[in-house]
Amino acid sequence: MKTAAFFEFGGPEVLRATELPTPEAGEGQVRVRIRAAGVQPFDLAIRSGWTPEGVGGDLPRVPGNEFAGVVDQVGAGVSGVSAGAEVLGFNLLNSYAEYVVVPVENVTPKPANMPWDVAGGFTAGTQTAHIALRQLGVGEGDTVLVHAAAGAVGTAAVQLARLWGATTVIGTAREENHDYLRELGAIPVTYGEGLLERVRALAPGGVDMVLDGAGGEALEVSLRLVKGERVVTLVEHGRAAELGVQVTRGVRLASRLAELAALYAEGRFVFPVRRTYPLERAADAHREVATGHGRGKVVLVMD
């Protein structure tokens, strides 16, 4: 099967198109012929040399932990899913490929009105936002500050916070993304000098909680607005304990993914795709994600 894999750690240039053996579904597993796969900072870290817990040291390695496609092989003991089912799902690795094999509990039906590119990049950002906001306990009447609000996680977080009853959601973003945030239901605010004062002016009653997708100065400002336990950071894992802030503690679940997909199917949730690339241009997709700019998801699409 065609894949985008790397045989050594390094920059985007080590990621290249290559042929690898097609996997077979084992007991309790399904094989999915992938139509689209999301690209995210997690993948860039793996390509650069980080090895997540539970992953062996062998190379080549195929990145990609979210995908959408069509089930084409069902392993022994699997019920409730059959060949031909359109699904979206998740896996730790191996999604930059024509086929992926995953436990059946890692997939959920794809809504009929969800395009393949959206489905391929839907899992990671939406579930991360869901996990973080549930951890913070967002609810009726809250004022929530979301840093990097125009990104994939931020886009999901703004919408979920409003759906769960937050009265005010303030989102930090570059100025060109401010109209977009207004469309999502957030009050936009620009990064940089004076951020603390700008947020206080927008939330004279105070901020209840912060989802930090930016780190650095934005996180420092957050700690002058709320106590550390009211902050979840997605980027400053190395400093979290020192600063007294939270990191996400939940795991991805097909049931959570199904809940989020249902919101999309009902027209209550949007998830834009910034740009798509063919599988053989995975390196270029990594370069774009590495810039940290732009809104919406970068997605690989298969033939």
Side-chain angles (χ1 to χ4, degrees):
M1 65 174 180
K2 296 177 183 177
T3 71
F6 57 87
F7 291 76
E8 60 181 331
F9 298 114
E13 69 280 356
V14 303
L15 192 60
R16 54 189 175 87
T18 189
E19 296 271 343
L20 291 174
T22 302
E24 300 289 328
E27 185 170 359
Q29 297 178 323
V30 293
R31 186 175 71 187
V32 178
R33 184 178 179 92
I34 294 177
R35 294 288 302 274
V39 181
Q40 55 183 298
F42 181 92
D43 306 338
L44 278 62
I46 287 174
R47 187 212 68 225
S48 299
W50 175 61
T51 300
E53 184 178 350
V55 174
D58 293 343
L59 297 176
R61 192 166 294 168
V62 178
N65 68 16
E66 57 180 343
F67 62 86
V70 180
V71 173
D72 85 319
Q73 189 181 76
V74 177
V78 171
S79 61
V81 178
S82 57
E86 296 183 348
V87 297
L88 58 159
F90 51 93
N91 201 37
L92 193 57
L93 292 169
N94 301 322
S95 298
Y96 294 6
E98 286 187 291
Y99 295 91
V100 67
V101 166
V102 298
V104 66
E105 58 266 25
N106 284 24
V107 299
T108 196
K110 181 186 82 67
N113 63 343
M114 181 181 283
W116 283 113
D117 58 348
V118 172
F122 191 80
T123 295
T126 59
Q127 290 218 57
T128 298
H130 191 291
I131 290 167
L133 294 184
R134 285 296 190 215
Q135 200 168 309
L136 286 167
V138 173
E140 293 290 337
D142 284 333
T143 295
V144 184
L145 175 60
V146 179
H147 292 306
V153 177
T155 288
V158 167
Q159 295 174 88
L160 289 175
R162 293 304 308 272
L163 284 168
W164 295 347
T167 302
T168 303
V169 179
I170 300 169
T172 57
R174 293 155 62 94
E175 198 161 336
E176 58 263 36
N177 290 321
H178 283 195
D179 285 345
Y180 169 69
L181 291 184
R182 292 186 185 98
E183 292 171 5
L184 295 179
I187 301 172
V189 63
T190 307
Y191 293 113
E193 186 176 351
L195 176 60
L196 178 65
E197 291 72 24
R198 289 192 292 276
V199 173
R200 282 178 170 164
L202 293 170
V207 171
D208 295 299
M209 57 202 64
V210 180
L211 176 56
D212 169 45
E217 181 188 2
L219 180 55
E220 300 290 344
V221 167
S222 300
L223 292 173
R224 297 179 66 182
L225 292 164
V226 297
K227 294 181 179 180
E229 62 265 25
R230 304 298 290 162
V231 179
V232 169
T233 183
L234 305 175
V235 292
E236 294 275 16
H237 294 87
R239 300 177 62 210
E242 168 197 342
L243 297 172
V245 303
Q246 298 188 66
V247 296
T248 52
R249 296 191 299 267
V251 296
R252 293 186 292 179
L253 299 169
S255 57
R256 182 186 290 112
L257 184 56
E259 175 189 337
L260 292 160
L263 291 174
Y264 182 95
E266 295 162 5
R268 301 170 64 199
F269 190 90
V270 299
F271 195 75
V273 171
R274 183 195 323 170
R275 188 170 178 183
T276 62
Y277 290 87
L279 182 62
E280 59 269 21
R281 290 188 60 197
D284 289 333
H286 274 219
R287 291 184 183 99
E288 178 158 347
V289 170
T291 67
H293 301 319
R295 61 176 179 258
K297 191 78 176 190
V298 175
V299 177
L300 298 177
V301 293
M302 317 303 171
D303 292 337

